[in-house]
Each structure stands twice: as C-alpha cells, then as structure tokens.
Amino acid sequence: MDSPLLPEGVKRCSPAKFLFWTLPWFLLLAWGGLSAFLCLYKGLNQTNMSNIFAFALWIVFDLAIIALGAGAFFTGFLVYIVGKKELKNILNAAVIIGFICYSAAIVMLGIDIGQPLRGWFIFWHANIHSMLVEVSFCITAYLMVLGIEFIPNILENRKLAEIREFRLFGHSLHHIMGVFAATGVFLSFFHQGSLGGMFGVMYARPFAAREGFYIWPWTFFLFIYSSIAAGPCFTILCTKLTELITRKKLVPNNAVQTLAKISGWLLASYMVLKIIDTLGWIYGVVPRAGLTFMDFFREGPYGVWMMVAEIIVFGVLPAIMLLSPKARESEGLLIIACLLNCTGIVFNRFLFIVVTLAIPVMPFDRFWSYLPTWQEWGIAMAVVGYGFLLFSAAYRYLPVFPKERELNPVTE
Amino acid sequence: MTPLSFEWQWNVEYIIFFGLLYIALGVVSVGLVVVVIKTALQVFGFMRERHF
Amino acid sequence: MKKGSDQGKHKYGMVIDLDKCTGCGTCMIACASENNVSVRPDQSDKERAITWMCLYKITNGKEFPHTEVSYFPRPCMHCDNNPPCVSVCVATATKLDFNTGIVSQIYTRCIGCRYCQAACPYGSRYFNWWHAYFPKGKGLERYLTPEVSPRMRGVVEKCTFCHQRLMRAKNQAYAEGRRELEEGEYVTACAEACPAQAITFGDLNNHEHQVSKLSKHPYAFRLLERLGTQPKVYYMSSRDWVRRQAENLLPGEYKPVINKTWMEEEWSTRPGRDEF
C-alpha cells in the first residue's frame, strides 16, 4: 500500500504489521495526551510534585534524554569536524534520536512550568545570570539545528526525492552541513554545561553545590563530559535495538566500534574527573557547609549506595568494558556496557535533581517523600512512545542507514 | 532578549551572552539563506547541479 | 546583583526572640490574612499548603523532665548577599531591592518553573498548585486585603515583608511632608500581631532602631549563616541547644555564648545555659 514511499532496494514489513507495531506506542501517546490535558487544564496539582520536590520526574527525564541525545551533536562533531568518515553510517540515526530527545524535552518543559502561556518570558525577559535561561536558549536553537540536520534525510524519501527542487535543496543543505554541525556543537556545549551549572550554582544546597572556574561550577564541565560519554552509547543502543527488531545488520561494525571506543575513552576520563570532583566536594564544599558526607543520607531511601553505584557499577565498569577491545567486540558485552553507561548518566541526573531536593538543608527540617502520579508517568512514557513512533516511521520511509542495502542485499 | 525588552542593560554581560546567541542564530540563518539561493540558482539553471 | 545592599539606604529586617515565642501561630494567621494567602480545603497537606510564615517546632531531644521545646517562626530570610533564588530566576521575576533590602516577587512575571524553590534552602517559596481559593460564605472574603493581589495558579509566591505596608507608610509620610519613616511606622503583620512581642521589625541600617541593636546582641544568630546567604532575619535565644539547631555543625564547631553583655537586662536570664 505504502510501497512507493519505501526506500528502494530494501525490505520492509507489510503496512498491517507496521500499524500493529505502532499500536502500543500510540497507546502511550494517548496516555501522555490525557495526562498533558489534565496538567494543563487542571494544573500541576495533578502531579505529586510539591514545594519540597519542585523538580521531579519530568526534570529527571528531561535532563536524562537531553544527555542521551548528545550523541547527535557529538557524532556530528566527529564526522564533520574531526573527519571520522566511517561514522557517517550512523549519523542519521544519531540526528533522529537527538531530534526526538530535544523536541520531547521542550514539550515536557512546556507542561512542567506553571504558566505555559508565559513560556516566552524566558526569552523576552531573560535573566542572563540564570543557567536555565542559557539552557532554554540553547536547546531551542539547537532543536532548530537538529531540524535542519534532519531535513536532508527526510528529502531523501523516495517520493520527495522525485521532486527536483527538494532534491537539490537537500543536496545543497547537505553540502554545507558542517557549518550547521559546528553551530550545533557550540550550542550543545553550552546547554549541556548549563544543565550541570543549574545545580552547581545552587550554593545554598550543599548536596549540589560545587566550586568552579569563573562563573561555571565544575558540574558545568562534568555534565558536558558525561553527556558526550553516554550519548554515543545511547545511539549504539538504539541502532542495536533497531537491528534486533528488524533482524538485519544496519550499521557496519567499524562505525559502532569507533563510537564505542571513543565513548570508552571519554567515560574513563570522565570517571577520573568525577571521582576528583566528588572527593573535592566531600572534603571541601561539604565540611564548609558544616556537614559530613554521611549526614546527607541520614533519612530517606537514598543512600551512599547510589553514589557508589553511579561511579563504580555504572561508571568505572562500563569504561573498562568499552576500553577492552575483546569486550567491545562481543555484541552482548557491548550492549551491557552501553546500558550501564546510559543508566549511570540517568543516576547522575537523578542524584542531582531529586536527591538534592530531598535532603533538607535546615537541621530541624524533615525528610519528605515523593512518588510520581500516573499523570507524571503518562507524560514521561509518552516520550518513549513518541520516540519509538518517530524512529520507526523514519526507519520505514527514509534511508536512515546508508549501508542497509549493501549489508542486506535483497535476494529474490 | 532585545534592547526593547525591559531588562535589557548595555553592559558586557549582556553583550557577550546575546552576542554569542545572535552570532549562532545568524550563522544558522545565513547558512539557510545560502542554501535557498544555491537551490534557486540550480533550479533555474544558473548553476551546475551538484551530486555526491 | 553581586553587591550586597549595604550601599542602600534602608535594610529592613527582623529579629525574632525565640525565648519569647510561645508557638501560638498568630504570626502565621496574621501573615496569611494580611497577604491574602490562599487556603485549601485540606490545609494539612503541608507539602503544598502555602505558609509564608511557617512555624517549625524543635526539641532538645532529651527525656522528660529535661525536655524543652522551642519554635522557629520562618518567614522569607530576604537574603542580602546574592540571594540564591534571585540569580536563578529565568524571567527576572524576583529581585533584591537595594533600597529596602526586600526580595520581591512579581507574580505576573513568574512562569512557574520553580527553579527558585529548588535553590532556596529555607523552603520559604511556595508554588500555587491550585487556583486561589477562599471559602465562600464563611466571611473569609471580607478579610481580604485590597492592597495585595491574589496569586494565580502556577506561580511562586513568598513573604514580601508586607511590602504594601511599606508603601502605605511611605504615602502617609509623604502626605505629612516627611521624607523618612519613623521607627514603627512600617512593621510587618507578623511583628504587629505577635502577642509575646517576640518579633521586632525595622531598619537594620538605622542604628537607632531596636532591630539594629538586637541584631548585634551576642545571642543573635541567623539560619544557615555559614552558607553565605546573609539573611536579614535574625533570631535570638539564650539557650545553646536552640542556637545550635540553626546551623549545620561539625563536631566541636559550636562555641557557646558565655559572656554577659550590655543587653543582659533585656529578657534573657543567665547566658550560655542549656535549660530553663
């Protein structure tokens, strides 16, 4: 039925099967749509956020997907600026994942603020000293760049490419993509950093506060570092998942190996810096605030184990796995390493957001608990649904993986 | 965001922050304009079509 | 923004004597009715109820008969040095006024991102999770202050040191041909209502004002002072265990106040003791 739209020379499932596959994702979207309606119409009392947990599940999700979406800008950087040509085979996928992550994050933020209609105040009445302003400007601008990077791939659709103007536009766009990629790198550098800066600058919250360089707390640099260490792994995970579901080899091994190796080196060096930062914090910021490290974990379910897990299990371990060529080349171990790495970054964001807010600063204050409502989960899960839908549609109708035809010759 | 908004101050911080932002946005828009012009020139035959 | 408000003419602040505070909660009620603070059908939902002035109960943790209780009335601290909430606000909706030292909140400018709540260590910022609500038919609407705008859903609000009272006092002074306010012309609702007169309000920059003298008392301290926020709300207590709870302290860091001072004829009895 939709065969004229499908890329040439590749095998795709029947439209009915595809429709069936999209059903669960549409259901997640519907759940999210209902939740969004309730949150916008009835207000944020639909969530379990409170004056203590001012940031909660949504901000964790936001920061996590923005960090995981960093594969887009970093792969673009490696292809266009460093010149790693083999990564071209995975670049389209990385861009689409980035586009999904960033667009979802912006929509989530729009629901998360109490007065969505005043969202433009962030830009118009910007307080340039606020890290969140820098984040907002840069993710919005970067989403535009991601859109531009996505366009040539969309215009490669078989039907669209038949239109000469579109084809020429796509080719011209592709020709100067390096310029856009470089701008994207610049913008990403600042918003990934400012997301970390957001927490490091909260100097009255000793759990998050960090010292730093000039106006940037160390978290600024660590968040950039961790996002480029985990982003490529998320790109690998997504392509591996696509390969698993489609039962095809889509990306040549050398591209995946290069990305995994770079990710490994970045993660290893990030872990060194993270450990130094943590020690500096434990022996610097924390005692200056009159606390000891263990004071943070007196109450509530969050314990030291989370930080140990973040650094050892989800940091050092995957770094070693990704750096060892033997482990990297084994598909199972590679996937486990990537999973651990991505979990680590989510843990890191969770600690900075939820645990920071959960720990009372005033000595006589108490611990409060927080569990998200189904409306909060609905919005978060809608992001997953949206991601699967957009990626599946892109895979079906666009030549996302340039080497797909070469790796899977159609025999009949 | 612009000198028209109430908070705008003519100081170094504002000039650096918005300067960098507008440079980035400027590069993106100039890039897009160049692409549109190139496409138009190719469509109307003033320029050779590029393939890669 | 980085500068403190010392250069400003006035620096309004308060001293709360915890030895006088009985924990009756009148300050909370006075504050809520003065500032049209919305209520909920279920006010026991403490995580979302709005209490610009919040009363914390602390105990010395000892067994009877040595148990002692004290209360910490906690308004906004109106931090004087780079308030944590001001620099983070995305839409410039909150500002430290250098002429009064008051940290203001512009409700119609706030977008409700709640970053300020995350940054504030005192928990003195409140988000409007619901539309403003005042029970009908119970007479509450008759007590609303016409000078204070009610807040819409989805914005953050906080103690303003009853800014409208400053405006009113200024207008009065201007009408009488004066440029300066007398001590006591501008006091917050909580200070005025406190039956134990535990709250003293005034200009910290004016050495004539009682609040300025009290803030230099050896028993005076501030909440979480070492974080560097420089609150303009001071507390006073002659009890060591109370003073100790205002700050996170490492073992051995606490220095009890042992000197008798020029203020000892004030309400305190023996200095440096741990119990009544």
Side-chain angles (χ1 to χ4, degrees):
Chain A
M1 196 166 68
D2 57 353
S3 51
L5 288 166
L6 303 180
E8 250 172 309
V10 295
K11 214 170 143 251
R12 291 288 182 268
C13 64
S14 68
K17 203 170 167 189
F18 182 68
L19 212 61
F20 187 70
W21 155 255
T22 58
L23 263 184
W25 316 124
F26 272 117
L27 279 178
L28 284 184
L29 269 188
W31 178 15
L34 176 65
S35 309
F37 170 76
L38 284 173
C39 289
L40 293 173
Y41 182 70
K42 291 194 166 178
L44 291 178
N45 50 55
Q46 298 295 307
T47 68
N48 255 348
M49 287 190 279
S50 64
N51 292 321
I52 293 95
F53 291 97
F55 291 164
L57 179 77
W58 291 344
I59 298 286
V60 176
F61 241 78
D62 262 330
L63 261 72
I65 57 179
I66 286 178
L68 295 172
F73 96 82
F74 191 60
T75 317
F77 170 76
L78 291 175
V79 171
Y80 293 109
I81 295 165
V82 179
K84 294 248 172 226
K85 294 286 171 241
E86 70 266 34
L87 292 182
K88 271 198 165 172
N89 298 322
I90 203 168
L91 182 61
N92 283 340
V95 165
I96 295 170
I97 293 161
F99 183 82
I100 290 167
C101 290
Y102 279 80
S103 47
I106 288 176
V107 173
M108 274 179 102
L109 276 175
I111 298 166
D112 197 5
I113 59 177
Q115 288 278 343
L117 293 180
R118 294 183 194 165
W120 58 280
F121 283 12
I122 298 184
F123 306 110
W124 190 253
H125 299 298
N127 168 20
I128 57 164
H129 300 103
S130 173
M131 288 283 173
L132 194 52
V133 164
E134 203 168 306
V135 171
S136 310
F137 270 112
C138 290
I139 56 174
T140 320
Y142 183 52
L143 182 64
M144 284 190 243
V145 171
L146 276 172
I148 293 169
E149 289 187 52
F150 193 10
I151 288 173
N153 197 216
I154 298 176
L155 295 181
E156 275 175 305
N157 172 279
R158 209 200 313 179
K159 273 282 163 213
L160 291 177
E162 283 171 12
I163 304 166
R164 180 162 167 263
E165 287 82 358
F166 279 2
R167 195 176 61 239
L168 290 172
F169 182 74
H171 287 177
S172 310
L173 205 53
H174 198 274
H175 195 69
I176 62 157
M177 199 47 86
V179 177
F180 296 118
T183 322
V185 171
F186 170 79
L187 292 168
S188 296
F189 184 83
F190 277 100
H191 75 242
Q192 297 287 358
S194 298
L195 279 172
M198 260 181 82
F199 298 93
V201 295
M202 300 201 303
Y203 71 94
R205 289 269 185 189
F207 190 76
R210 293 289 190 280
E211 288 166 11
F213 167 72
Y214 189 43
I215 57 167
W216 298 292
W218 296 131
T219 47
F220 183 95
F221 307 100
L222 288 176
F223 268 50
I224 300 173
Y225 224 118
S226 58
S227 71
I228 55 176
C233 275
F234 189 64
T235 312
I236 295 176
L237 273 184
C238 289
T239 50
K240 288 283 168 202
L241 186 64
T242 318
E243 286 183 348
L244 188 79
I245 292 167
T246 58
R247 276 171 263 136
K248 275 183 208 163
K249 184 113 193 87
L250 296 170
V251 178
N253 235 347
N254 65 345
V256 172
Q257 287 300 317
T258 311
L259 216 49
K261 192 170 145 196
I262 293 171
S263 198
W265 278 111
L266 286 170
L267 185 61
S269 45
Y270 164 67
M271 276 345 282
V272 173
L273 295 176
K274 172 77 188 167
I275 290 168
I276 294 172
D277 170 70
T278 309
L279 290 175
W281 168 71
I282 292 175
Y283 294 107
V285 177
V286 178
R288 228 173 300 134
L291 294 159
T292 57
F293 176 58
M294 291 313 287
D295 284 340
F296 289 126
F297 307 105
R298 273 188 306 219
E299 276 182 286
Y302 314 119
V304 191
W305 65 271
M306 294 191 79
M307 298 196 82
V308 175
E310 183 208 335
I311 292 174
I312 309 291
V313 184
F314 300 127
V316 176
L317 183 66
I320 295 169
M321 287 168 79
L322 288 171
L323 282 183
S324 128
K326 256 197 195 135
R328 207 165 56 216
E329 274 153 28
S330 136
E331 180 134 331
L333 287 178
L334 176 67
I335 289 174
I336 290 172
C338 288
L339 269 175
L340 288 176
N341 186 356
C342 294
T343 317
I345 202 167
V346 177
F347 245 69
N348 175 267
R349 291 347 185 214
F350 180 86
L351 275 158
F352 267 105
I353 299 163
V354 174
V355 181
T356 299
L357 296 184
I359 295 168
V361 188
M362 289 190 290
F364 49 81
D365 213 348
R366 54 161 284 197
F367 174 86
W368 297 87
S369 63
Y370 159 79
L371 270 180
T373 56
W374 65 265
Q375 289 92 333
E376 286 179 87
W377 281 117
I379 306 253
M381 286 301 116
V383 172
V384 178
Y386 160 69
F388 267 97
L389 271 182
L390 192 62
F391 200 82
S392 311
Y395 170 74
R396 186 171 175 83
Y397 297 113
L398 310 174
V400 173
F401 299 100
K403 288 276 170 347
E404 186 187 354
R405 218 170 352 165
E406 201 175 299
L407 292 167
N408 306 279
V410 180
T411 40
E412 68 261 57
Chain B
M1 189 178 176
T2 68
L4 294 173
S5 69
F6 172 73
E7 292 76 16
W8 184 273
Q9 293 162 25
W10 288 104
N11 65 25
V12 183
E13 292 167 348
Y14 271 73
I15 291 165
I16 294 175
F17 184 93
F18 284 107
L20 288 175
L21 174 80
Y22 287 128
I23 287 173
L25 289 179
V27 168
V28 173
S29 3
V30 168
L32 276 182
V33 169
V34 167
V35 170
V36 170
I37 292 172
K38 267 171 93 176
T39 313
L41 290 177
Q42 287 170 18
V43 168
F44 298 112
F46 297 113
M47 209 171 138
R48 234 185 53 237
E49 285 184 28
R50 265 218 158 84
H51 294 283
F52 57 92
Chain C
M1 182 166 288
K2 296 274 155 59
K3 284 181 281 181
S5 64
D6 280 327
Q7 305 93 327
K9 221 166 160 193
H10 304 291
K11 197 159 100 173
Y12 290 106
M14 60 170 69
V15 176
I16 305 175
D17 192 332
L18 300 182
D19 291 350
K20 287 184 185 172
C21 176
T22 61
C24 67
T26 311
C27 52
M28 292 176 73
I29 304 294
C31 169
S33 63
E34 168 77 22
N35 292 297
N36 298 343
V37 173
S38 160
V39 291
R40 289 293 311 149
D42 175 17
Q43 262 315 87
S44 71
D45 182 3
K46 292 297 173 208
E47 284 173 279
R48 296 198 195 184
I50 301 176
T51 45
W52 288 12
M53 175 61 115
C54 189
L55 207 53
Y56 288 87
K57 180 180 169 184
I58 57 169
T59 76
N60 62 350
K62 289 188 183 166
E63 293 281 313
F64 180 82
H66 303 289
T67 312
E68 272 192 38
V69 170
S70 186
Y71 293 89
F72 258 107
R74 192 241 48 217
C76 169
M77 296 290 138
H78 292 270
C79 304
D80 208 37
N81 174 41
N82 183 19
C85 54
V86 168
S87 56
V88 301
C89 177
V90 287
T92 336
T94 182
K95 271 276 175 197
L96 170 62
D97 184 342
F98 293 135
N99 286 319
T100 59
I102 293 174
V103 177
S104 61
Q105 177 79 14
I106 310 168
Y107 310 122
T108 47
R109 174 65 74 77
C110 174
I111 65 162
C113 72
R114 305 184 298 285
Y115 189 9
C116 55
Q117 286 192 304
C120 175
Y122 304 105
S124 39
R125 291 182 153 270
Y126 293 90
F127 185 73
N128 281 275
W129 300 96
W130 287 272
H131 286 295
Y133 166 75
F134 303 99
K136 289 259 158 56
K138 293 191 175 142
L140 198 60
E141 66 274 13
R142 282 188 281 134
Y143 292 93
L144 293 175
T145 310
E147 290 161 293
V148 182
S149 61
R151 277 70 62 183
M152 58 292 282
R153 185 183 86 190
V155 302
V156 170
E157 62 180 67
K158 65 179 270 297
C159 158
T160 59
F161 269 172
C162 295
H163 194 263
Q164 68 282 2
R165 287 178 168 231
L166 172 62
M167 291 300 151
R168 203 192 298 157
K170 273 185 169 172
N171 283 344
Q172 182 67 31
Y174 191 74
E176 291 168 9
R178 285 180 290 127
R179 291 266 157 206
E180 295 299 322
L181 297 181
E182 300 288 324
E183 181 174 10
E185 269 192 301
Y186 162 43
V187 283
T188 56
C190 52
E192 192 180 354
C194 178
Q197 299 192 2
I199 307 178
T200 316
F201 186 82
D203 185 358
L204 291 164
N205 271 359
N206 189 333
H207 303 299
E208 301 292 304
H209 280 202
Q210 185 73 354
V211 74
S212 173
K213 291 176 188 161
L214 285 176
S215 69
K216 295 180 188 86
H217 192 283
Y219 288 156
F221 58 92
R222 295 183 281 184
L223 262 182
L224 303 175
E225 205 168 346
R226 67 193 300 165
L227 293 180
T229 54
Q230 294 188 11
K232 283 193 282 286
V233 174
Y234 289 77
Y235 294 89
M236 268 175 78
S237 178
S238 61
R239 289 167 289 175
D240 274 331
W241 72 265
V242 175
R243 283 199 298 270
R244 220 180 284 143
Q245 298 232 17
E247 196 72 80
N248 290 307
L249 295 161
L250 293 172
E253 274 190 332
Y254 182 73
K255 299 269 183 301
V257 183
I258 46 164
N259 298 316
K260 283 205 167 192
T261 62
W262 55 275
M263 292 284 299
E264 66 174 301
E265 72 277 6
E266 283 286 304
W267 190 78
S268 47
T269 47
R270 276 179 301 136
R273 69 216 168 76
D274 214 31
E275 283 178 39
F276 278 116

